[in-house]
Amino acid sequence: MLLEQVEYVRPQSLDEALEILANDDGAAPLAGGQSLTNVLKNRVASVDVLVDISRLDDLAGIARTADGGLSIGACVTYDELDRSADVRQTHWLLGEVAAHIEDQQIRNKGTIGGNCCLSDPTNNLPPLLVALDAVMELRSRAGQRSVASADFFKGYFATALEPGELLVSVTVPPMPAGSGAGYTSLAVGADAKAMVRAAARVTLDGGTIADSRLVLARVAHVPVRDTDAEARLNGGDATEESVAAACAGVADGMQPIADVHGSSEYRRQMAKVMARRAVSQAVAAARGSRNGSKAGGN
Amino acid sequence: MGERGTSHAVTVEVNGEKVSRIVAARQLLVHFLRDTLGLTGTHIGCDTGNCGACSVIVNGKLVKSCMILAPQVDGATIETVEGLADGDSLSPLQESFHEHHALQCGYCTPGMLMSATYLLRQNPDPTDEEIRRGIRGNICRCTGYVNIVKAIRAASREQASGGRPVPAAAGEEV
Ligand SMILES: Cc1cc2nc3c(=O)[nH]c(=O)nc-3n(C[C@H](O)[C@H](O)[C@H](O)COP(=O)(O)OP(=O)(O)OC[C@H]3O[C@@H](n4cnc5c(N)ncnc54)[C@H](O)[C@@H]3O)c2cc1C
Ligand code: FES
Ligand code: FES
């Protein structure tokens, strides 16, 4: 396969990368390349210069924040998330979801930054990051700003990134005391692309759900919180019956997308099932010692 | 300052040998290996990152060489299927694929061998499920995978016992 003629540059610093991106409309960051390479092959976007950010120290590594959260460099790969002791210790599910993205080759190259900046509705990490209240740290030559993950994903392959702006890191706050997370996908085959996903985080106060996040993916083109369902969960019993009752109305106020993989109504029904399972996982995780449940794969 | 351009000087170590070439920025690593270096053991099955036939190991990491541009690997150490055998002596995994009839047309085999090599380095004693997950990114249209899993399992046992794998009797579960 012959790609269109393109320039390539590997800047030595973040500032140099931002400089090139600011000066050239046709410049595109190249991270893991596991989507962008195919975009170039298909010639669906015209790129003048590929700015290889994958070796920049400023975008690498996972650090523990002062409050016990995580600061994850944009070019951290799925495999690094999977193997990170820090991630597994406090945000076990994030490592687990990363460990089930497609296959080992893609996990060795694909980055958390690329997974988010592409805003492909089938990508695994966005709904989980929204459920965990993650914050996207963006930088351009003009300066740095923080955008809540819930506001970052704007549409089908569209994000809040402005021209010339890079995602530099993702901040994941600490899991609240007594909380747990869950994640389920409806897919044909293990670790495959999903038709519907749900990601959840619940905080328990004894036998009661004190607070919750319920995020649906592939129902719209971006991850969406079902705040009606969250309101039904909050203050309710953390029992299977009560969770099932709260999730029975999931996606009722929404108009799920329809495509070759499933009709709108099928997605709505499956969203209820995925939501119930994800919330149940989160409750089980909150009761266990782990912040993020073991059950359920991706 | 990084050098910007449509062609780049690249120096890599491929199967223990240092090579330097000028590459086009748009050249895929798989084409660099096959066309520029003549290492045609690495196959192209799909060209979209789906089949794994082009899998190689770059700086110790298993990757699909159709999903990387040649200038990206400057300075890297690359292992391809040609580097597995020692002269005429096959690697234990290659031997095991041969003994367990783990290939038919052989098109997927170079990629399978690289994925299996990577897997056994990371996890010398994988379960069958771990083996299946290890070759999740490699498609085989012929074998149905059963003999590939058997071959990898046998090679891991051979590695553990420090000897060559014992050939399985026909029809016997290894
Ligand atoms: C066969 C196949 C199957 C796949 N299946 C799945 C799957 O099931 N689930 C899943 O989640 N993913 C899947 N992927 C996609 C994969 O996860 C990609 O790695 C991911 O979509 C993009 O990450 P990347 O690091 O490779 O980014 P790249 O391909 O390098 O970049 C993607 C886009 O993001 C931009 N970008 C990258 N980093 C930044 C940054 N820091 N700041 C600003 N912009 C940036 C790039 O300019 C580009 O537009 C699959 C890929 C393949 C080839
Ligand atoms: S040719 Fe690279 S994955 Fe198929
Ligand atoms: S042996 Fe033919 S594709 Fe695997």
Side-chain angles (χ1 to χ4, degrees), chain A residues 199-204 207-215 226-248 250 275-276 278-280 282-283:
Chain A
R201 189 187 76 189
V202 302
T203 307
L204 298 185
T208 305
I209 295 178
D211 187 37
S212 62
R213 295 281 179 283
L214 176 59
V215 181
D226 190 330
T227 47
D228 292 342
E230 288 175 5
R232 288 192 298 274
L233 286 164
N234 295 345
D237 290 341
T239 58
E240 256 182 61
E241 298 71 36
S242 174
V243 167
C247 290
V250 159
R276 173 166 51 76
V279 173
S280 299
V283 168

Side-chain angles (χ1 to χ4, degrees), chain B residues 103-108 140-143:
Chain B
L103 57 145
Q104 290 177 28
C105 80
Y107 201 85
C108 69
C140 176
R141 303 303 295 265
C142 303
T143 66

